[in-house]
Amino acid sequence: MSSFTYQFDTPSYKGTSTVSTGLFINGKFVEPVEKGTIEVVNPVNGKVITSVAAGTAADIDIAARAARKAYKERWGLKVPGVQRGRMLNKLADLLEANADEFAALEALDVGKAFRVARNGDMSGSIAALRYYAGWADKIQGKTIETNAKKLAYTRHEPVGVVGAIVPWNFPLTMLSFKIGPALAAGNAVIVKPSELTPLTALRLCPLFVEAGFPDGVINVVNGYGSTAGQALSEHMAVDKITFTGSTLTGRKIMETASKTNLKKVTLELGGKSPSVIFDDVDLEQTVKWVSHGIFMNHGQACTAGSRIFVQAGIYDRFLKAFTEHASSLKVGDPFARDTYQGPQISQTQFERIMGYIKSGKEEGATVHIGGERHGNEGYFIQPTIFTECKPNMKIVQEEIFGPVAAIIKFATEEEAIEQANNTVYGLACSVFTRDIDRAIRVAHSIEAGTAWINCHNSSELSVPFGGFKQSGIGRELGEYALEHYTNLKAVHVNIGHRL
Ligand code: NDP
């Protein structure tokens, strides 16, 4: 089986990583049926790092059969929750033992700073696996009081085979957020990583075996969205799709599910999240959180606080401090110790973001800072702040998914709420004020699945996450996510009612 070895000799990490580049089906790496490959590109310089196998519908079919067989014969409720939890904990331990190597692979493949990959992505992935390991033996039904001749109770049974379609912005973290609850609840899984960022998912496969998961319980099939992803959402033996990505692809998946076996679908989609800043804020802290809100992960976050509403009384002071902060963010080599922002993921995303910057200028917004490419190779873009933004501009309405903030001045609380809700999305929002009554009032008034008060992009594994409106369906994280990975069965036991 082909593999890829990379020697890291960087200021942040030195070491070697070897990754098998096939498809991981039924507990081992195999070649794809159609023998296709996908080039994996380094976003720092646009050069090819390696090629990995490209799975197609034929491979998805093999994986789905393997997963179903495993689910029926050696997984699901045949394996008690306590054992499923033990395996998830072991997987977390193995990942933790190799966390630096995984972080280096993620930094190489995605272009995010090594420090961020290690302290954010890897720590979050490990913690998510442990969190759901803890749930595996606590998924319980209820007994329901009816009458003296009836015992009624509920069971939360696994759904069966889950297809997990993972995006490129947080490859291993999103994978963990999906396989954690799926496996804890007793489902078998087929993971389809993003074609752009397959390396950490592939490196994880040997750890599944070492952690003790039976063959076929977790499969990883790389491939293009339009082939492998589409085949996964069509497959009649797949009972559920959990997807994170664009609203456009989410729509396609839902349509496909409705035309095939009505598989369950949870969708975590786009956003255009507002940050609302009132006159009375702690300016220094607000600037830091708002910057983290929009510039974290190079702006490639579904929760990015890309519309920043600032009350007139603090507007000038905020803009000055925010500009100084954004200008201080170091853009560059992901393995340099002081880098905050690496490149965007791909040429396509680079061009899309630069297209939005161009449209902002054409529609009359002002580039306050940034607005240009950073350097002359790879996909780097300067942290960008637009002022003089109007509600109908594309940069205010559409998800840019890059380091681009639109600042809008407002006068009253009512006006801020109305503008914040003027979007098809409803993933997240943040409110900054020292007035607790107003903070809660505004947080409750904005149509979003997450409302942060005096912070942004500050999530917890135990707290549900997902969208209102066109930002998605269902919830990830917390106990709530488990609802989407189980089927609820009601059992009626007749204890003496004679006909
Ligand atoms: P996509 O939604 O196309 O990709 C996300 C995942 O879906 C990838 O694994 C992709 O595979 C897969 N996919 C694509 N088409 C299909 C399909 N027909 N059926 C099943 N799976 C499919 O996002 P893009 O990468 O094209 O990015 C475009 C925009 O999407 C971004 O600018 C951003 O706005 C948004 N996005 C949002 C994310 C979020 O966190 N909510 C994450 C990523 C993107 P493949 O990579 O092989 O095409």
Side-chain angles (χ1 to χ4, degrees), residues 28 97 164 168 195 212 327 475 491:
K28 53 185 181 302
W168 43 260
E195 114 223 2
S327 309
R475 292 293 177 270
V491 181

Side-chain angles (χ1 to χ4, degrees), residues 255-268:
E255 190 185 349
T256 307
S258 77
K259 286 184 177 157
T260 52
N261 60 346
L262 271 179
K263 51 179 69 65
K264 286 168 177 275
V265 173
T266 43
L267 304 172
E268 201 271 273

Side-chain angles (χ1 to χ4, degrees), residues 38 165-170 174 192-197 223-233 241 243-250 252-253 256 268-271 300-303 345 348-349 352-353 356 399-402 425 427 471:
I38 299 173
I165 302 179
V166 176
W168 43 260
N169 51 345
F170 297 96
M174 292 300 121
K192 209 292 283 171
S194 165
E195 114 223 2
L196 300 170
T197 55
Y224 291 100
S226 53
T227 50
Q230 179 68 20
L232 194 57
S233 41
I241 295 285
F243 169 77
T244 301
S246 64
T247 298
L248 190 69
T249 303
K252 275 191 210 156
I253 288 171
T256 307
E268 201 271 273
L269 308 174
Q300 302 169 138
C302 47
T303 51
I345 188 67
T348 308
Q349 284 301 114
R352 179 180 300 193
I353 297 161
Y356 275 115
E399 182 173 52
I400 300 176
F401 227 62
Y425 294 114
L427 194 57
S471 287

Side-chain angles (χ1 to χ4, degrees), residues 396-430:
V396 177
Q397 285 298 324
E398 298 182 19
E399 182 173 52
I400 300 176
F401 227 62
V404 183
I407 304 204
I408 301 142
K409 197 188 282 186
F410 73 90
T412 65
E413 181 180 318
E414 293 68 31
E415 184 194 338
I417 293 168
E418 194 186 319
Q419 290 207 48
N421 285 333
N422 180 16
T423 168
V424 298
Y425 294 114
L427 194 57
C429 67
S430 53

